[in-house]
Amino acid sequence: MTADRQTLVAGVDSSTQSTKVMVCDADTGEVIRSGRAEHPDTTEVDPQVWWDALGAASGGLLSGVRAVGIAGQQHGMVTLDEKNSVVRPALLWNDTRSGQAAADLTDELGGPQVWADAVGAVPVASFTITKLRWMAEHEPGLADRVARVLLPHDWLTWRLLGDGAEPVTDRGDASGTGYYSAASAAYRTDLLSHAFGGRTPELPRVLGPAEAAGHTPDGVLVSAGTGDNMAAGLALELDEGDVVVSLGTSGTVFGVSETQPADPSGTVAGFADATGRFLPLACTLNAARVLTATASMLGTDLAGLDRLALTAEPGAGGLTLLPYLDGERTPNLPDASGSLIGLRRANMTQENLARAAVEGMLCGLAAGLDALRAHGLVARRVLLIGGAAQSAAVRAAAPAVFGVPVAVPPPGEHVAIGAARQAAWALSASTSSGQADPPRWQGSATVHLDEPTSAEAAAGEQARHRHAEAREQVHGMPRS
Ligand SMILES: Nc1ncnc2c1ncn2[C@@H]1O[C@H](COP(=O)(O)OP(=O)(O)O)[C@@H](O)[C@H]1O
Ligand SMILES: O=C(CO)[C@@H](O)[C@H](O)COP(=O)(O)O
């Protein structure tokens, strides 16, 4: 197909640390051009920052693009007043100030199982509903001004549509609010109102997976958009047995399912995906930044951290890092700090510390993988994505820590590509010959990482055991 007949679509990943834009061929998924812009390192942010980053990342890229989709960091609370002005900076998924609000809400409405049954997940500080409770308690004057609540991707989609547009969302991102039941495809405004002190802000209409949100003033179709993990799932065209481990700011482990789990322990959140199915997911608050923080402490960079970690033996000489550097979400310890356990004169080396950082980050996700399996998810292989999947030390340690084959898809911005694939799907669905399914894009082969030796597998198993033991000893968390 010649370039002038090529149909172009764009996908946006507005995640915690940056905005990425990928322009793709709508038929094949080939990436034609891309851009990115950084976000500030903070847990509350004026949404205008995302809009400016989107402008910077997409500058000059969107010429000829027929459709665009926005994927965003999940859960962030964007509050708007009667005039659609932002009431306060958005509280992000990694802002832990609403930890007590989460515990209170869980108790007030009958305990964890009631929540898991109602909305597929037990509230934690990340969820939008707990942030609204925090706002109602700590900023009641501002809460009184809130006329509408959106998620980050909803707000960006709405801005793209221009003045007078109706705010919309999708079931994937809505399922992370704590006031949407994906199983019954309905908002739980009773829960929202209870959490928000009797206030009942307007909520965006929930679109279907291939439904269009509308068009930009320039006539570009805008798809429903979704949460970043849902978009990554869409890019990877997940089948049964595929489990994604994403190592960005957050660590997430998830797969697709026809049914919604209801985990009263709160480890597995029964989110919805971007295709009409469910996306059982466990999320840690500390992933790639554990590596940057450890590298910085050791006076090196990420390449240097890799070199150190690869020099150490698997198991880090018995060192265990519980990397709860920014508090933690899974396990639910919003006020926790990190712990380094097992230090001896013989193992107290930079190499072991680097390895312990890598293994500690992965062990938290391996525990999430165990919980997903306990709730019925089949794990035949792990697909490793996100910024820290580029780390050689992570790739070396992952197969032994997860205990299942690990594959790395070709490096790419999977969230933005998933958003672009959704845009291509919505564009196709808008025509008379529209497709019922998203276009098949996945072509390039994944790289399968080496199976661990029996010694490496044993060291991985021991690292997980020590991690669970440390969680129990330091934080009283029961072993699963
Ligand atoms: N080679 C690498 N080794 C370890 N971490 C890396 C590497 N390359 C990028 N990262 C980390 O990945 C993170 C960004 O990943 P990304 O998935 O884009 O995050 P997010 O979606 O949360 O914004 C940064 O913290 C960055 O330091
Ligand atoms: O809260 C979750 C998942 O429930 C996070 O995964 C956020 O969606 C942020 O993602 P990244 O910016 O780390 O990719």
Side-chain angles (χ1 to χ4, degrees), residues 352-414:
N352 281 333
L353 187 51
R355 183 87 191 191
V358 171
E359 291 180 354
M361 172 186 74
L362 293 176
C363 282
L365 290 159
L369 176 60
D370 285 344
L372 287 166
R373 283 167 141 165
H375 284 272
L377 202 74
V378 178
R380 286 199 200 95
R381 63 172 183 168
V382 161
L383 294 166
L384 204 57
I385 64 165
Q390 299 311 313
S391 153
V394 166
R395 292 180 181 203
V401 172
F402 291 125
V404 289
V406 179
V408 184
E413 297 300 344
H414 298 99

Side-chain angles (χ1 to χ4, degrees), residues 279-297:
L279 197 82
L281 179 149
C283 177
T284 63
L285 210 152
N286 299 280
R289 282 171 168 167
V290 173
L291 306 188
T292 42
T294 307
S296 163
M297 188 186 81

Side-chain angles (χ1 to χ4, degrees), residues 15-16 73-75 93 228-229 248-250 252 271 281 283 329:
S15 285
T16 316
Q73 53 179 309
Q74 291 181 244
H75 314 298
W93 68 277
D228 54 3
N229 291 294
T249 315
S250 63
T252 57
F271 296 145
L281 179 149
C283 177
R329 163 166 162 185

Side-chain angles (χ1 to χ4, degrees), residues 44-47 77-80 85-91 95 97 131 134-135 139 142 145-146:
E44 62 171 3
V45 67
D46 183 340
M77 178 191 75
V78 179
T79 46
L80 303 181
S85 299
V86 170
V87 173
R88 75 171 324 288
L91 290 181
D95 189 295
R97 76 186 72 180
K131 298 178 189 305
W134 180 90
M135 191 179 181
E139 297 176 340
L142 291 181
R145 285 182 43 210
V146 175

